[in-house]
Each structure stands twice: as C-alpha cells, then as structure tokens.
Amino acid sequence: MDNNVQQALSVYRDNLRRQNALGLAFFLNSWDSETEAPALTIEHRDAQVGTLSEMYYELATAADLTDAIRTLYTAREQLDAVLRHEIEVQYKELCKLQKVPQPEYVAFSQLLSKATPVYVEAKRNADFAMFCPYLEQIADYKKRYLEWQRTPDKHGYDILLDEFEPNTSVVFYDELFDLLKKELVPLVHRIAAKGNPDFAWARQIFPVDKQKQYVEYLRGVMCFDPARTVIKESEHPFTGGNGRWDVRITNHYYPDDVASSIFSAIHEMGHGLYEMQVDQALDDTASGGGASMAMHESQSRLMENMIGRSLAFWQTHYPQLQELFAPQLRNVTVNEWWRYVNRVQCSLVRTEADELTYPLHVLIRYELEKQLLDGTLAVCDLPQAWRQKYREYLGVDVPDDRAGVLQDVHWSGGDFGYFPTYVLGSAYAAQLYDAMSKDLDIDAAIREGTVRQLAQWLETHVHRYGASQYPRDILQAATGRDFDPSYYVNYLKDKYSALYGLDKD
Amino acid sequence: MDNNVQQALSVYRDNLRRQNALGLAFFLNSWDSETEAPALTIEHRDAQVGTLSEMYYELATAADLTDAIRTLYTAREQLDAVLRHEIEVQYKELCKLQKVPQPEYVAFSQLLSKATPVYVEAKRNADFAMFCPYLEQIADYKKRYLEWQRTPDKHGYDILLDEFEPNTSVVFYDELFDLLKKELVPLVHRIAAKGNPDFAWARQIFPVDKQKQYVEYLRGVMCFDPARTVIKESEHPFTGGNGRWDVRITNHYYPDDVASSIFSAIHEMGHGLYEMQVDQALDDTASGGGASMAMHESQSRLMENMIGRSLAFWQTHYPQLQELFAPQLRNVTVNEWWRYVNRVQCSLVRTEADELTYPLHVLIRYELEKQLLDGTLAVCDLPQAWRQKYREYLGVDVPDDRAGVLQDVHWSGGDFGYFPTYVLGSAYAAQLYDAMSKDLDIDAAIREGTVRQLAQWLETHVHRYGASQYPRDILQAATGRDFDPSYYVNYLKDKYSALYGLDKD
C-alpha cells in the first residue's frame, strides 16, 4: 500500500473511532430515553444531545476525513474487498452529504426536533391539521433534497429508495407491489368473506408477569445470550444496541393480548441475532451491523412468521405456554392456538397487521409517498387519500387520524422511502427460507427446542457478512439466485390457502 | 466587559458546552454499566469509553480554552460574583492539570483501568498480595503528583485533602479527628460493654417486593419528584445524574436486612434533593451540582441519620412499615424499631457502620493515608496496620482482607484524601441541623408527613448555591458561624448517651 494511502487510512480509522465513540453516546441516550428516563429529564437534555450531534457532524465532515476518503477511493484497487466496499459506501455518502448546503442541514435537524413533539401531540389528539404545517416543511425539504442529489441516472423518489436499500427504484418496487396487489388483494377478500372463528378465550386476561416469564423462556429458545443482551419494556418494541456485544430489545405487554408480546419478542430477537452474529473482524469498521433495512427486516420476519408461527414451533413450545396460563388455555388445543396466531384480519394499524395483509398497509404508504414527492398529492390532502386507499385495499373505514395517517412515526422523522423495505424484507425472508429448507429439515431443527441450527445457517449465509457487501449480493450468494418475489407470493398463497381451506386460485 | 474578555467568555462557554455534552455520555455509560449492562457488553465498550475520555481531555486542555481561562482570570474583577468564583476554580484546576506531564497523565489513566479488575478479583479472593503491586504503583504516582504540585505554602497530603475539600489540611483534620477520638472512643467502649437487646425479629425474611413498595412510599415522604428521578438497583447504592433535571439513585435489597434498603434510600435521596434544588440559573455553568464532597455527604447524612433515624420520623412512618410487614413486625413497637435502627455495634465494614462508630472507620483510613504518603508505611504493610487499628479503635479482629483493607474501592481508583470528607460531612450536617432547629420545629415538620419544610430550608440555605461558593462559606452563611466540630460531638454524645442510658461523661 502506498505511503499516502497508508496515511489516509490512519486518518480515516482515527476519525471512525471517534464517530463510533459518539455512537455509544447516541445509543445510550436513545435507549435510556425510550425505556427509563422520566419526561422532564428527556426534554432538559435536548441541548446536550444537540451538542453531541454537532460534534458528530464536525467529525463526519472534517476536511482531513474528506481528503482521506477521496484518497482511499482513488486507490481502492489497493484495498482488500471488505475495506474497498466500506470505502465505496463512505465515498457515496460523503458525496451526498456534500451536496447538502450546511445551513439547510442544520435547519432541517432543528425542524425535526420541533416536529417530533408536535407529531406526538397531534397523534394523541388525532388531529392531523395540527401536524400538517410541519409535515409540509419536511416534505418541502425532501423535494429540495432530491434536486440537490439529482443526477442524469437518478432523480425523484428513486434517490430516497436507494438510500434505504441500495439498487432499488420506483420501477423495482412498482413491479413488486403490482405483483403483490394482483396476487394478494383477491386472496385477502376471499379470506375476509370466509371469516374467523370467535377465539373468545384469547380475550381473557393473561397476567403480565407470566407473559414476561414466557418471554424469558423464549430467550432460551432463540439463543439470545444473556451475557450480551437486555430485554426491557417500552411503548413500542424495538431492537437497539452497540455492536455485536451489546444487543437490546424491548417489549410491550398487553394483559388482554398474550400473542403480542410473544411475537414481538421473537421478531426483535430475530433482529438481535443478526447483530450478534456479524463477524467479529468487522467490530471497529463501518461495516458492522446489518447489510440494509430490508435485510434486517428479513431476519426478524423470518423468525417471527416463518419459524415463530409454524405448527412445528408451537407443537414444541405450546406446552410451556399452556402450563404458564393453565386457567386461560386449559381447553385450547395447539392447533387452535396455531390457527389463532395465523388468523387474517383486515385492520387499521400496520404494526398490528397479520402477515398476509401487512404488505397492503405498506403498499398504501408507498403509493402515497410517490405522489407526495412528485407533487400529485398535497400534504393537506393526505388524510383523505389515506382513507380512500384503506377502503379500497383493505375494506376498512378509518375512524380518525390517530388510527389513520398519524399512526406511523416515520414521516415526522423525515423518513420517506423507508416503508417499502418492510415488504422487501419479508420477500427476502421467503427466498432465504426456501434456500434454508434445501439445506436443513427446518421442522426437525425447530423440534430440537432452540433455533440454534437455523441461527447457524443464517450466520453462515447472511449474518457474518454484516454490511461488508450489498444486501442483494448476500441474498444472491445465500440463495443461488438474484432476488425473486415469487418466493414470497407463493409462500403467502400456499400458507393461507391451506389455513383457510381455499383453492390456490 | 472588554471585547477580549467577551471573546474569551464565548470560547470558554462553547468549550464547557461540549464538555457538558460528553458529561451526559459519561453519566449514561456509568449508569448503564452499574445497573443493567451485561458483563460482556461492559468490557467490549471499554475502547469507546476510552475514546470519549480522550476527546474530553483534548477539550479540557485545548489551547484556546487555556488562553480564555487565563484572560478571564486576569480580568476577574469585571465578572459577577458567580462567574468570578467559577473562573477562579477553573484557573486553579487548569494550573494543577498543567503541572502533570501529559505522558504521566495517560499512563496513570491506563494504570487505573488495569487496576480496577485486579482489585475486584483480589477482593473476591480476599487476597491483598494480588492487588499490592498495583496499589504500589498508584501510591508512587500519587507521591510524584505531590512533588509536581508542591508550592511554598502547601505540600504532601495537604494537596490531596484540599482537592477533595477546599481549605482543609492535615492540621485541620488532625484537630477534628483528635477531638473525635478523645470524645467518641471511650463512649463506644462504654456502649460496647453495655451491649444490645437481641432484636431476633430483625433476622426474619422481609420480602424484597415489599421493601421496594416501602421505598416507593419513602419517595413520597422525601419529595423525590418522579418526573425527574429514577430509583433502580445496583450492587452498592449510589446517586448519579445529569444535573437538576435528572437525578437517579440505586438501592440494594437484602431479604434478611430490612433496614438496609430503607436507610440507603433516605441517604441517596438526601444526595438527590441537593442536586435537584440547585438554582436553575447554574444549569449550564461549571457551578451546578454540590459545593464539595463533604457538603454533599452532609446532605445525605442529615436526612439519613438526623431526620431518618429520629423518633418523630418513625412515629410518623412506622405504621406503614408495620402494615406492609405485618407478619414480621406485628409485635414490634415503634420504640423498639427506633432503638434497633440506632443500635451501636463495633463492626468491620465502614459502609455498614452505625452513626457513632462510623467516624472511627474513617479515622483509620485517614491515619493510614497520611503514613502511606509520607513514606512511614509501605503499601505491603497495609493489611497488618489495618488489623492493628481496627483492634485498637473498634475492638474487632479482621478475619480477612475482603472485610479488611480491600473493602473500599477508593484506593484502587486513585482516590487518596477522599475518606475524611465523609466525617467532615457528618460534622457539617450536625452544625446545619442545629441552625435549622432554630428556624423550624423539626419534629413538627417531620410529623407533617413529608420532608418538604426541611428540604425548603436546605434549598434556601445550602442547595440553591450549588458549587457557586466554597462550602465553608455556604456553611458560615447558613449557620452564622465558621465550621465548629463541637456540634457534631455534642450531637453524638447527647443522642447515644440518652439511647443507652449513660451519663454524659
């Protein structure tokens, strides 16, 4: 390696070391804010967190770092494959960051800080009008952002889609969602017409302390090593952490909905296993963590839906649940439980949706984002458009903005282009599951009592690479073919046709 | 204010803002480490924490900050009293820091990092020999430090004493401890000869969940506002936080020692109230928080011992305790409980010592530190010297190093000169309590059910000043006279002579 490349690498690594150190501070701050800090505490440390962000921005845009990344990018043929990928990603991000005028960057951060509490309040009051002026400013910024980032090859919504998932675009997602719409909407309508049994037993009270005991039991099942994980509570379940040695999930316990905490736990532990199984050699690099949003979501959904809602899983783990909740589940068979946790129901809220209707919730957001960004839909008309689409795709009437357009936090945080990755993740999961099933007898592995074998397969084929390759390349190597959404469509059609006793077409 | 002073002030404040932001990171890291992070997590983030410390050191020693502090110090007559005091303190610290050769500073930080796990292991194995080489290096550094900091006015142990509590010295503490030794050792021996009732009921099991309920009850009594405080668990109880808006305490619950969690809670909430009642105007300055170690300890001990162990307190709050622990306390009168929580017992461990023997534990450490630093005691001879003094002052035989010389964490962290502030704090508390009793009917205030009136008195006379004045000046203004240890001696003699039915001499 040339001397000046060596020198650039040392500048780059020292800067990264400092960014990572501040990353610990950001992680601890958000973890504490979400799980434990009292209300007054959070608002009074805003200024300190702002200063840490300022220090982070100064590091990330420092002239010596910029020069170092340029030098390394120019000399990238001298670097090993992992470092070369890392530098390519960093170079791309640097170029994007430098196209944002610094005053705009600062003003947008401040706008988001102000928008968050307004969004929370507006959601509480189910009052979109209150939040609308902020969302208009956020959307305006995004439109200006798209102009700054415009290239001959890429413009508009494509730019944002590509930021959340490399090598995606409107063309790519349109094709995916068109297929899903064509295949799933009729199936959903046929199932809705058929209806579900009453499942009255599921509406009993399931004491929260017992639910927590069962989640501790699931920690063992999911190989979620207590020496480097934490399970805590928060308003909405999420996964956080500080690299492979510190992985944390939260849960939320509803006394009248025992399934909620169970599947949230499995979902978040799916995310967590990914973080825990990234190759240790990537620890101090920018290639730790998951390959992309969609790849992360594929891991949580594979565990939650394909493993956690399988009959084999419950034949193995239902006895422990039934024992804990003897009064409530005495007369509920494992088959009945399995049907209950796989019931399809057209509903209002994405995060509570079942596996089959979930992509339709995302489709709605995708279509609305496209229209917002190309100017064919005004922010103030969002609630109306939202209602229309929920009626059309899911056949439900939205009673108010809280259960409607204000339900998701993403837009208030400036995240446009994020939603489609949820569905793409589910589609990746189906393709990975298919490949896994060729290497392993998955049901037999599940019946061993833990997900050890499955987690090992995922470690070997996905997790260990971290973010050192593009997600589609990882998927290709793991499954032997490029992304193909038909695995997802077939998985859903097979599973739910069988569950509801319908012909496949 | 001159233009260049104005300019210096802006540099100073911007640097402080960044230091404070990193302070949030350090607080969150230590809080998380002490209360929740799994073992592997903690060791794997050492490097990140080290990098944050490096960034902090760079800020605290930046050339522009140094220049700014010098400019402000030179122009200090132009500053208001609060800022002038702040700058004087900063200037003093800067001068001290600059006398430490940078490689020595770094090497000592690394030594402490390595010493901590060895200390923990040595304590676990009750094996001083294992820790001895590290303590020798720590003590050697301290001796070099004293040479760097030596001035015509001040040398040796005085330098360290003054760092923990301004305007103290060997002469000052010798006088204090000589008085305590003379007055308290004979009293302790007379009480030991008299002995205690059996208190067999106290050795029952007191369920931890009920203990936690009582601590929640005490939160109300202590006016420990839930909107900006957290109560959690850790190995040893402590108070932490991030300014007046974020105050956190921990507790430790022993099923066979119900008094432990009660008095730990009151003690830590005493510290916490101090932090919560510092004038809001000091929020973003270097003068937030307590005035000194001793003044902080005076607030926790005043609440724990003078208020929390008073008969009026238990006449008010014993019924709730008795109700919670009906099976255990059914036949225990309030008077018997009050005697139990004020029993004197010569024991081995400082943190578990009663109010009367506590200063003797500290006296032993003070005498040993003096000898270590003036070279009349070798580190390897510490365990022997420790045993001798425990026999002499407390009449107890030290069975091993864990219950002996390894019991306290301070020396492994390089803190010499810290221990005496514990006793000085108790003495401040007695003098403040006397002044408070002239303004208030304390027992009547306690019988109101919360410490509201007492906390208000402390806010007015002590808390609101934060660290904006020297502790002795605050004490003088609050009590109308300079520090006088006779309040402390008289308080202890009166209280314990009465409790044990002894003549006062």
Side-chain angles (χ1 to χ4, degrees), chain A residues 53-272:
Chain A
S53 304
E54 192 182 323
M55 290 163 76
Y56 185 87
Y57 182 84
E58 286 167 4
L59 274 175
T61 58
D64 63 344
L65 176 70
T66 309
D67 292 345
I69 291 175
R70 280 185 209 291
T71 302
L72 290 166
Y73 184 75
T74 307
R76 63 191 178 280
E77 295 308 323
Q78 297 178 42
L79 311 177
D80 67 49
V82 168
L83 184 56
R84 187 162 60 239
H85 178 80
E86 180 176 333
I87 292 299
E88 279 169 7
V89 171
Q90 295 276 333
Y91 180 75
K92 193 173 152 188
E93 281 173 16
L94 176 66
C95 294
K96 300 200 83 156
L97 188 59
Q98 290 193 320
K99 289 180 187 160
V100 180
Q102 212 252 354
E104 287 265 16
Y105 181 94
V106 173
F108 186 59
S109 302
Q110 288 165 344
L111 172 62
L112 293 183
S113 296
K114 275 184 285 181
T116 298
V118 179
Y119 163 71
V120 171
E121 189 62 18
K123 182 174 176 183
R124 188 179 299 131
N125 300 328
D127 179 8
F128 180 78
M130 184 179 174
F131 180 56
C132 186
Y134 291 85
L135 189 55
E136 276 171 349
Q137 288 180 64
I138 291 171
D140 283 348
Y141 172 87
K142 285 286 158 180
K143 287 183 198 161
R144 290 199 301 284
Y145 180 85
L146 296 182
E147 286 310 309
W148 303 325
Q149 304 295 350
R150 186 186 187 98
T151 66
D153 306 340
K154 198 169 282 177
H155 64 277
Y157 194 27
D158 279 359
I159 290 166
L160 300 178
L161 294 172
D162 185 79
E163 286 180 4
F164 280 103
E165 187 71 16
N167 303 314
T168 59
S169 62
V170 170
V171 169
F172 171 85
Y173 278 119
D174 276 354
E175 198 177 320
L176 173 61
F177 281 113
D178 284 347
L179 177 69
L180 293 173
K181 195 153 58 169
K182 187 178 108 230
E183 298 281 356
L184 302 186
V185 171
L187 180 59
V188 165
H189 288 167
R190 286 166 70 205
I191 288 178
K194 215 160 170 191
N196 290 309
D198 184 27
F199 300 123
W201 53 266
R203 294 190 298 273
Q204 298 170 93
I205 294 300
F206 294 77
V208 164
D209 59 326
K210 302 242 161 177
Q211 291 194 38
K212 289 183 185 171
Q213 279 179 51
Y214 196 69
V215 166
E216 269 308 308
Y217 167 79
L218 287 175
R219 183 200 271 256
V221 172
M222 298 296 294
C223 308
F224 202 62
D225 178 10
R228 47 187 175 134
T229 62
V230 177
I231 303 179
K232 218 171 159 190
E233 286 176 70
S234 67
E235 185 55 31
H236 302 287
F238 67 90
T239 302
N242 177 44
R244 70 195 302 277
W245 299 102
D246 189 354
V247 177
R248 308 192 186 193
I249 67 165
T250 65
N251 212 331
H252 194 99
Y253 299 89
Y254 300 94
D256 58 352
D257 184 358
V258 68
S260 172
S261 67
I262 290 173
F263 291 100
S264 288
I266 298 174
H267 180 98
E268 303 306 336
M269 288 194 261
H271 279 302

Side-chain angles (χ1 to χ4, degrees), chain A residues 312-361:
Chain A
F313 190 88
W314 288 110
Q315 283 168 342
T316 313
H317 303 296
Y318 187 65
Q320 289 75 4
L321 188 73
Q322 205 174 24
E323 195 187 317
L324 260 177
F325 294 105
Q328 294 88 349
L329 298 177
R330 189 175 301 116
N331 300 315
V332 181
T333 63
V334 61
N335 229 58
E336 209 175 343
W337 169 261
W338 170 68
R339 288 190 167 267
Y340 168 68
V341 302
N342 284 292
R343 75 200 178 286
V344 174
Q345 210 149 24
C346 290
S347 64
L348 290 163
V349 178
R350 177 183 61 83
T351 55
E352 291 163 17
D354 58 79
E355 196 180 358
L356 184 65
T357 59
Y358 187 86
L360 304 181
H361 290 263

Side-chain angles (χ1 to χ4, degrees), chain B residues 5 9 53 177 179 224 269 281 283 418 445 469-470:
Chain B
V5 178
L9 192 56
S53 304
F177 281 113
L179 177 69
F224 201 62
M269 289 194 259
D283 265 4
Y418 190 147
Q469 298 178 17
Y470 287 111

Side-chain angles (χ1 to χ4, degrees), chain A residues 390-449:
Chain A
Y390 263 81
R391 171 116 295 279
E392 182 184 345
Y393 295 136
L394 286 155
V396 294
D397 287 318
V398 174
D400 60 38
D401 294 337
R402 177 166 40 200
V405 68
L406 290 175
Q407 69 181 257
D408 291 306
V409 75
H410 303 60
W411 292 338
S412 73
D415 290 335
F416 289 78
Y418 190 146
F419 286 118
T421 67
Y422 290 133
V423 162
L424 185 58
S426 300
Y428 284 176
Q431 186 166 337
L432 288 167
Y433 182 82
D434 178 80
M436 188 196 272
S437 70
K438 286 170 185 144
D439 290 348
L440 287 180
D441 178 343
I442 295 181
D443 280 358
I446 290 172
R447 286 185 217 284
E448 282 194 352

Side-chain angles (χ1 to χ4, degrees), chain B residues 60-260:
Chain B
T61 58
D64 65 342
L65 175 70
T66 309
D67 291 346
I69 292 174
R70 281 186 208 291
T71 303
L72 291 166
Y73 184 75
T74 308
R76 64 192 179 279
E77 294 308 324
Q78 296 177 44
L79 310 177
D80 67 48
V82 169
L83 183 56
R84 187 162 59 239
H85 178 80
E86 181 175 332
I87 293 298
E88 279 169 8
V89 171
Q90 296 275 334
Y91 180 75
K92 194 172 150 186
E93 281 174 15
L94 175 66
C95 294
K96 300 199 84 156
L97 188 58
Q98 291 192 319
K99 287 180 189 161
V100 180
Q102 213 251 354
E104 287 265 16
Y105 182 94
V106 173
F108 186 58
S109 303
Q110 288 167 343
L111 172 62
L112 293 184
S113 295
K114 275 183 284 181
T116 298
V118 178
Y119 163 72
V120 170
E121 190 61 19
K123 183 175 175 183
R124 188 179 301 133
N125 301 328
D127 178 9
F128 180 78
M130 183 179 176
F131 181 55
C132 186
Y134 291 85
L135 189 54
E136 275 171 350
Q137 288 180 64
I138 292 171
D140 282 349
Y141 172 86
K142 285 286 158 180
K143 286 182 198 162
R144 291 199 299 284
Y145 180 86
L146 296 183
E147 286 311 307
W148 303 326
Q149 303 295 351
R150 186 187 186 96
T151 65
D153 305 342
K154 197 169 282 176
H155 63 275
Y157 195 27
D158 278 0
I159 290 166
L160 300 178
L161 294 172
D162 185 79
E163 286 180 5
F164 279 103
E165 187 72 15
N167 302 314
T168 60
S169 62
V170 169
V171 168
F172 170 84
Y173 278 118
D174 276 354
E175 199 178 319
L176 173 62
F177 281 113
D178 284 348
L179 177 69
L180 292 173
K181 194 153 58 171
K182 186 177 111 240
E183 298 281 356
L184 302 186
V185 172
L187 181 60
V188 166
H189 288 166
R190 285 167 71 203
I191 288 177
K194 219 165 165 188
N196 290 309
D198 183 29
F199 299 123
W201 53 266
R203 294 190 298 272
Q204 299 170 92
I205 295 300
F206 293 77
V208 164
D209 60 326
K210 301 243 162 177
Q211 290 193 39
K212 288 183 184 171
Q213 279 179 51
Y214 196 71
V215 166
E216 270 308 307
Y217 168 79
L218 287 174
R219 184 200 269 256
V221 172
M222 298 296 294
C223 307
F224 201 62
D225 178 10
R228 48 186 173 132
T229 63
V230 178
I231 303 179
K232 220 170 158 190
E233 287 177 70
S234 67
E235 186 55 31
H236 301 287
F238 68 89
T239 301
N242 176 44
R244 70 196 302 277
W245 299 102
D246 189 354
V247 177
R248 308 192 186 192
I249 67 166
T250 65
N251 212 330
H252 194 100
Y253 298 89
Y254 300 94
D256 59 351
D257 183 358
V258 68
S260 171

